[in-house]
Amino acid sequence: EYAGSEPHLVGVLKGACPFMTDLAQAIDLPLTLDYIAVSSYGKATKSSGEVKLVKDLDQGLEGRDLLVVEDIVDTGLTLNYLVNLLKARGPRSLKVATLLSKPARRLVSVHVDYVGFTIEDEFVVGYGLDYNEKYRNLKDIVIYGG
């Protein structure tokens, strides 16, 4: 899909880092990387519903082919916030790739172009996903039991 272009991958910190690294290494094209951080969980296992920007991008987006890389799409609130924020910056195209999708928790309808796995309504950790900043280093994705 990106043949002839130079995709600009934007990883959503911190959870998307392992997935974005693996994804970037699998793309056989010149590309650029940047990161943005938003929060809607704090120290809870359920989204607060309030999304806040924690770290903005380092590079401009105007005229670029943007691929937003997420670890998980849960309620859709974070992704909806991000897509609206990034579209306003004038990219040529904007697509979304997520490792995990949890449609049972959707509060907002969001379009995801690429989904690795669809999962049930369980809180999961590992491979970048955390609980209170812990368990990101697990090699596998597992259900968090508390």
Side-chain angles (χ1 to χ4, degrees), residues 33-106:
L33 305 174
D34 203 349
Y35 295 92
I36 194 165
V38 292
S39 177
S40 67
Y41 277 80
K43 294 182 179 182
T45 59
K46 293 198 185 294
S47 173
S48 67
E50 181 180 323
V51 181
K52 66 178 183 176
L53 182 63
V54 178
K55 182 220 175 283
D56 207 345
L57 298 171
D58 295 327
Q59 302 172 42
L61 301 180
E62 193 165 336
R64 299 177 96 170
D65 292 312
L66 184 60
L67 179 61
V68 177
V69 182
E70 266 279 27
D71 55 355
I72 188 167
V73 178
D74 190 331
T75 63
L77 294 170
T78 299
L79 183 57
N80 185 58
Y81 171 86
L82 274 176
V83 166
N84 289 328
L85 177 75
L86 300 175
K87 275 185 178 177
R89 297 181 183 185
R92 177 176 32 229
S93 66
L94 189 152
K95 295 196 176 202
V96 176
T98 187
L99 177 62
L100 302 174
S101 177
K102 197 187 299 185
R105 299 258 308 135
R106 287 293 189 286

Side-chain angles (χ1 to χ4, degrees), residues 89-133:
R89 297 181 183 185
R92 177 176 32 229
S93 66
L94 189 152
K95 295 196 176 202
V96 176
T98 187
L99 177 62
L100 302 174
S101 177
K102 197 187 299 185
R105 299 258 308 135
R106 287 293 189 286
L107 298 176
V108 177
S109 178
V110 291
H111 178 74
V112 180
D113 299 280
Y114 310 104
V115 175
F117 302 93
T118 299
I119 64 171
E120 298 299 318
D121 187 11
E122 300 282 355
F123 190 83
V124 293
V125 296
Y127 192 66
L129 296 130
D130 76 301
Y131 170 69
N132 198 16
E133 295 298 327

